[in-house]
């Protein structure tokens, strides 16, 4: 639980990092955008490194759902 608080504090301290975070509209799981550059904010910035440490890459579909929720959504529609 302490780890989650640390992540929230980091994102509040560096709101520009939210540009590189995807959040699923259904399950609210978060991850960094796979197309995030190696460096963000300059040569000495560690923002990208920290986001990679706190999150895993996560793609979302055009509606904002993660891969798992998107599959579940499609499965429910077909029934």
């Amino acid at each position: 639980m302490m780890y989650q608080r640390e992540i929230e504090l980091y994102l509040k301290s560096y709101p520009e990092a939210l540009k590189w975070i995807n959040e699923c509209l259904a399950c609210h799981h978060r991850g960094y955008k796979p197309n995030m550059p190696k460096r963000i904010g300059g040569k000495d910035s560690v923002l990208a490194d920290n986001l990679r440490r706190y999150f895993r890459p996560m793609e979302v579909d055009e509606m904002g759902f993660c891969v798992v929720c998107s599959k579940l959504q499609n499965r429910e529609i077909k029934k």
Side-chain angles (χ1 to χ4, degrees):
M1 201 52 104
M2 184 63 147
Y3 187 69
Q4 186 63 34
R5 279 191 240 148
E6 187 177 323
I7 291 171
E8 293 300 327
L9 181 60
Y10 188 81
L11 291 176
K12 284 181 182 178
S13 298
Y14 299 98
E16 67 272 16
L18 292 174
K19 174 182 177 183
W20 300 104
I21 299 296
N22 281 331
E23 182 173 352
C24 178
L25 293 177
C27 69
H28 300 285
H29 183 77
R30 293 184 296 190
Y32 68 83
K33 294 179 180 179
N35 63 345
M36 183 173 69
K38 186 165 177 70
R39 291 276 168 230
I40 300 170
K43 156 181 119 161
D44 296 327
S45 176
V46 294
L47 181 62
D49 295 333
N50 288 337
L51 291 178
R52 286 188 177 91
R53 184 175 49 158
Y54 288 134
F55 300 99
R56 293 182 180 204
M58 186 178 95
E59 292 184 33
V60 293
D61 65 10
E62 62 279 349
M63 294 180 61
F65 295 115
C66 68
V67 174
V68 174
C69 292
S70 182
K71 286 180 182 177
L72 290 172
Q73 183 78 2
N74 289 335
R75 188 172 302 146
E76 290 176 8
I77 291 172
K78 291 179 184 177
K79 287 183 179 179

